[in-house]
Structures are given as C-alpha cells and as structure tokens.
Amino acid sequence: MTNPVYLALDFPRIETADAVARKVKDHIGGIKLGLEFFCAHGHHGVHEIAKIGLPLFLDLKLHDIPNTVAGAMQAIHVLQPAIVTVHAGGGRAMMEDAKAAAGEHCRVVGVTVLTSLDDGDMASTGVAGTSYDQVMRLADLAHSSGLDGIVCSGHEVAAVHSQWKDGFLVVPGLRLADGAHGDQNRGGAGTGDQKRIVTPRIARDAGASVLVIGRPIARAEDPVAAARAIEATL
C-alpha cells in the first residue's frame, strides 16, 4: 500500500526543508509545499525538492477569476506536481478552468473550509450554517465541477467519502493523540492554530486518500522517529 502521508515542508530556508525531507523520505509518501515555501523559493525551490524523488503536492490554494487561475495552472506545468489545490469557494467556472488547464497527471483538489476555522469563524464571514454544512456544499460543487477531490478536515471526511466514493480526499490538520512532536515551536503547544483536528489513523479509516502532516514530523526533535511512529499507526 502506498504511504498516504505527505510531509508539509514550510521552512524559510530551503536547506532546512531539504535536510528534513531527506531524513524521512523512506517513511512518507510525498511532500507538500505550501504558500510560504513557494513565495520564498519559487520554481527553483520546487525543482530542488523534486530531486528527492517523491511526489510533490503544491498547496497554493489558487483563488482568482477563472482565466487567471487557468494561467497559473499552466505556469506550473513545468514543475510536474502530483497535486495542486484551488479554493472551492472560487466557484464552478474557476474550478472547471483550473482542471482543464492542469497537467495530464496532476490531481486538482478544492479547498473547502480551512482547518483553522470553526463555526464561529464561518458566521463572522457571513456563511450560514456550520463548517460541516459548508464543507458538504463545496464538496458537491467541486465534484460536479470535475475536480479530482477536495481538502477537508478529519471531521468531515467520512461524510464526504460516503457521497463521493472515488473522490481524492486530502486531510490536513492532523496531530498525534498526545499532541507531541514539535507543536511548541510554532503556534503554541498541542494543536497550534488548527481547530478541527483528528489523528492520522482516524482520518485514514474515515476515507482520507492523503494525510498532510507538518509540525509533528518536521518540528520534532527526531523527525525520523516521529515519521516512523505515525507510519506504524497506519
């Protein structure tokens, strides 16, 4: 079975990101590069990390008018990402154009509700209902727009999986049960700035295709031991 764990590498220095990824490469299935990494290092940084030889997930969360997002998708063809994110809230036309412009072997997934948001946050932005309701609405829209899947928290993945059996479901905001492995270094102890979180095993059992794990591995005192511990639970 392919390892579903994608290591989130958001470091200000590419040397640090590369060193951590190489240490744990035998215990993960891929590497996620987010907005922080991409803005700091651009195409060059992605090419450097690609040399490690693992599938790359570009978590860029593209959200703009359809033509602009399509152009951005075309601009990253050369990077050969395995997965790219767009915001499902960008609407049907944007998602359709993003998928049409993506590389042949690139999965395009729609971000539904950020795992840093809860129901109170949703209400303050004018979204009616709960975060769960919004995830289900956007999952349905992403599916009908031709995307490969969505990003959601572990709290919604089972419900989405029941409605979209072949959907490629990405779950971030994962933590070990004891909240250990590096959270104290950014965003406080335990869950950091994530609110809707579960453990990797729970998310996998609920139907997650990809488990995005960052701080519990990357910020751990012993990243290899942390990665192996997570791998063992799966």
mmCIF file of all heavy atoms in Angstrom, residues 121-140:
data_model
loop_
_atom_site.group_PDB
_atom_site.id
_atom_site.type_symbol
_atom_site.label_atom_id
_atom_site.label_comp_id
_atom_site.label_asym_id
_atom_site.label_seq_id
_atom_site.Cartn_x
_atom_site.Cartn_y
_atom_site.Cartn_z
ATOM 1 N N ASP A 121 -16.034 31.296 13.324
ATOM 2 C CA ASP A 121 -15.323 31.995 12.252
ATOM 3 C C ASP A 121 -16.170 32.054 10.995
ATOM 4 O O ASP A 121 -16.189 33.072 10.289
ATOM 5 C CB ASP A 121 -14.004 31.280 11.947
ATOM 6 C CG ASP A 121 -13.047 31.269 13.122
ATOM 7 O OD1 ASP A 121 -12.893 32.321 13.756
ATOM 8 O OD2 ASP A 121 -12.467 30.208 13.393
ATOM 9 N N MET A 122 -16.861 30.942 10.696
ATOM 10 C CA MET A 122 -17.704 30.911 9.497
ATOM 11 C C MET A 122 -18.818 31.957 9.600
ATOM 12 O O MET A 122 -19.091 32.684 8.654
ATOM 13 C CB MET A 122 -18.313 29.516 9.328
ATOM 14 C CG MET A 122 -17.291 28.406 9.143
ATOM 15 S SD MET A 122 -16.276 28.628 7.676
ATOM 16 C CE MET A 122 -17.513 28.488 6.413
ATOM 17 N N ALA A 123 -19.427 32.036 10.771
ATOM 18 C CA ALA A 123 -20.514 33.003 10.956
ATOM 19 C C ALA A 123 -20.020 34.431 10.772
ATOM 20 O O ALA A 123 -20.715 35.279 10.201
ATOM 21 C CB ALA A 123 -21.131 32.821 12.337
ATOM 22 N N SER A 124 -18.807 34.701 11.240
ATOM 23 C CA SER A 124 -18.277 36.069 11.154
ATOM 24 C C SER A 124 -17.972 36.480 9.720
ATOM 25 O O SER A 124 -17.860 37.668 9.433
ATOM 26 C CB SER A 124 -17.011 36.194 12.012
ATOM 27 O OG SER A 124 -15.937 35.457 11.463
ATOM 28 N N THR A 125 -17.843 35.508 8.825
ATOM 29 C CA THR A 125 -17.610 35.824 7.409
ATOM 30 C C THR A 125 -18.902 35.826 6.597
ATOM 31 O O THR A 125 -18.874 35.986 5.377
ATOM 32 C CB THR A 125 -16.620 34.826 6.775
ATOM 33 O OG1 THR A 125 -17.187 33.498 6.793
ATOM 34 C CG2 THR A 125 -15.291 34.816 7.509
ATOM 35 N N GLY A 126 -20.027 35.609 7.278
ATOM 36 C CA GLY A 126 -21.311 35.666 6.599
ATOM 37 C C GLY A 126 -21.783 34.358 6.021
ATOM 38 O O GLY A 126 -22.782 34.325 5.286
ATOM 39 N N VAL A 127 -21.115 33.248 6.350
ATOM 40 C CA VAL A 127 -21.514 31.939 5.827
ATOM 41 C C VAL A 127 -22.541 31.323 6.765
ATOM 42 O O VAL A 127 -22.283 31.146 7.959
ATOM 43 C CB VAL A 127 -20.301 30.998 5.692
ATOM 44 C CG1 VAL A 127 -20.749 29.606 5.256
ATOM 45 C CG2 VAL A 127 -19.310 31.573 4.694
ATOM 46 N N ALA A 128 -23.703 30.997 6.230
ATOM 47 C CA ALA A 128 -24.766 30.420 7.041
ATOM 48 C C ALA A 128 -24.495 28.950 7.330
ATOM 49 O O ALA A 128 -23.884 28.251 6.529
ATOM 50 C CB ALA A 128 -26.100 30.567 6.324
ATOM 51 N N GLY A 129 -24.954 28.492 8.500
ATOM 52 C CA GLY A 129 -24.775 27.091 8.854
ATOM 53 C C GLY A 129 -23.420 26.828 9.482
ATOM 54 O O GLY A 129 -22.670 27.746 9.813
ATOM 55 N N THR A 130 -23.108 25.562 9.635
ATOM 56 C CA THR A 130 -21.873 25.152 10.289
ATOM 57 C C THR A 130 -20.754 24.943 9.277
ATOM 58 O O THR A 130 -20.990 24.920 8.063
ATOM 59 C CB THR A 130 -22.092 23.839 11.048
ATOM 60 O OG1 THR A 130 -22.390 22.803 10.096
ATOM 61 C CG2 THR A 130 -23.246 23.962 12.038
ATOM 62 N N SER A 131 -19.539 24.761 9.780
ATOM 63 C CA SER A 131 -18.420 24.448 8.895
ATOM 64 C C SER A 131 -18.668 23.126 8.168
ATOM 65 O O SER A 131 -18.318 22.975 6.995
ATOM 66 C CB SER A 131 -17.109 24.390 9.691
ATOM 67 O OG SER A 131 -17.205 23.496 10.778
ATOM 68 N N TYR A 132 -19.295 22.188 8.851
ATOM 69 C CA TYR A 132 -19.659 20.908 8.221
ATOM 70 C C TYR A 132 -20.580 21.142 7.022
ATOM 71 O O TYR A 132 -20.377 20.580 5.941
ATOM 72 C CB TYR A 132 -20.340 20.003 9.249
ATOM 73 C CG TYR A 132 -20.895 18.719 8.680
ATOM 74 C CD1 TYR A 132 -20.120 17.564 8.609
ATOM 75 C CD2 TYR A 132 -22.207 18.663 8.212
ATOM 76 C CE1 TYR A 132 -20.636 16.385 8.080
ATOM 77 C CE2 TYR A 132 -22.739 17.497 7.678
ATOM 78 C CZ TYR A 132 -21.950 16.352 7.618
ATOM 79 O OH TYR A 132 -22.464 15.192 7.085
ATOM 80 N N ASP A 133 -21.607 21.969 7.209
ATOM 81 C CA ASP A 133 -22.537 22.273 6.117
ATOM 82 C C ASP A 133 -21.800 22.857 4.913
ATOM 83 O O ASP A 133 -22.072 22.495 3.765
ATOM 84 C CB ASP A 133 -23.605 23.270 6.574
ATOM 85 C CG ASP A 133 -24.498 22.720 7.677
ATOM 86 O OD1 ASP A 133 -24.666 21.493 7.746
ATOM 87 O OD2 ASP A 133 -25.011 23.539 8.475
ATOM 88 N N GLN A 134 -20.880 23.783 5.185
ATOM 89 C CA GLN A 134 -20.151 24.437 4.105
ATOM 90 C C GLN A 134 -19.229 23.470 3.383
ATOM 91 O O GLN A 134 -19.118 23.502 2.145
ATOM 92 C CB GLN A 134 -19.363 25.628 4.659
ATOM 93 C CG GLN A 134 -18.579 26.419 3.620
ATOM 94 C CD GLN A 134 -19.446 27.219 2.654
ATOM 95 O OE1 GLN A 134 -20.670 27.059 2.628
ATOM 96 N NE2 GLN A 134 -18.812 28.082 1.884
ATOM 97 N N VAL A 135 -18.579 22.591 4.142
ATOM 98 C CA VAL A 135 -17.728 21.579 3.507
ATOM 99 C C VAL A 135 -18.554 20.708 2.561
ATOM 100 O O VAL A 135 -18.151 20.456 1.416
ATOM 101 C CB VAL A 135 -17.035 20.699 4.564
ATOM 102 C CG1 VAL A 135 -16.396 19.472 3.903
ATOM 103 C CG2 VAL A 135 -15.966 21.485 5.307
ATOM 104 N N MET A 136 -19.715 20.261 2.998
ATOM 105 C CA MET A 136 -20.540 19.389 2.165
ATOM 106 C C MET A 136 -21.050 20.115 0.924
ATOM 107 O O MET A 136 -21.100 19.535 -0.170
ATOM 108 C CB MET A 136 -21.707 18.826 2.982
ATOM 109 C CG MET A 136 -21.285 17.964 4.173
ATOM 110 S SD MET A 136 -20.139 16.616 3.745
ATOM 111 C CE MET A 136 -21.207 15.566 2.745
ATOM 112 N N ARG A 137 -21.406 21.389 1.058
ATOM 113 C CA ARG A 137 -21.838 22.174 -0.105
ATOM 114 C C ARG A 137 -20.716 22.299 -1.125
ATOM 115 O O ARG A 137 -20.917 22.095 -2.333
ATOM 116 C CB ARG A 137 -22.290 23.580 0.337
ATOM 117 C CG ARG A 137 -23.670 23.667 0.935
ATOM 118 C CD ARG A 137 -24.119 25.113 1.063
ATOM 119 N NE ARG A 137 -23.365 25.849 2.056
ATOM 120 C CZ ARG A 137 -23.757 26.044 3.314
ATOM 121 N NH1 ARG A 137 -24.908 25.547 3.737
ATOM 122 N NH2 ARG A 137 -23.018 26.753 4.149
ATOM 123 N N LEU A 138 -19.527 22.659 -0.634
ATOM 124 C CA LEU A 138 -18.410 22.871 -1.545
ATOM 125 C C LEU A 138 -17.879 21.564 -2.122
ATOM 126 O O LEU A 138 -17.385 21.537 -3.255
ATOM 127 C CB LEU A 138 -17.294 23.645 -0.839
ATOM 128 C CG LEU A 138 -17.639 25.102 -0.502
ATOM 129 C CD1 LEU A 138 -16.507 25.748 0.290
ATOM 130 C CD2 LEU A 138 -17.914 25.906 -1.775
ATOM 131 N N ALA A 139 -17.975 20.474 -1.363
ATOM 132 C CA ALA A 139 -17.571 19.171 -1.891
ATOM 133 C C ALA A 139 -18.460 18.787 -3.072
ATOM 134 O O ALA A 139 -17.982 18.286 -4.108
ATOM 135 C CB ALA A 139 -17.649 18.107 -0.799
ATOM 136 N N ASP A 140 -19.737 19.018 -2.930
ATOM 137 C CA ASP A 140 -20.681 18.710 -4.016
ATOM 138 C C ASP A 140 -20.383 19.574 -5.237
ATOM 139 O O ASP A 140 -20.400 19.088 -6.380
ATOM 140 C CB ASP A 140 -22.109 18.944 -3.532
ATOM 141 C CG ASP A 140 -23.143 18.568 -4.588
ATOM 142 O OD1 ASP A 140 -23.200 17.380 -4.969
ATOM 143 O OD2 ASP A 140 -23.894 19.456 -5.032
#
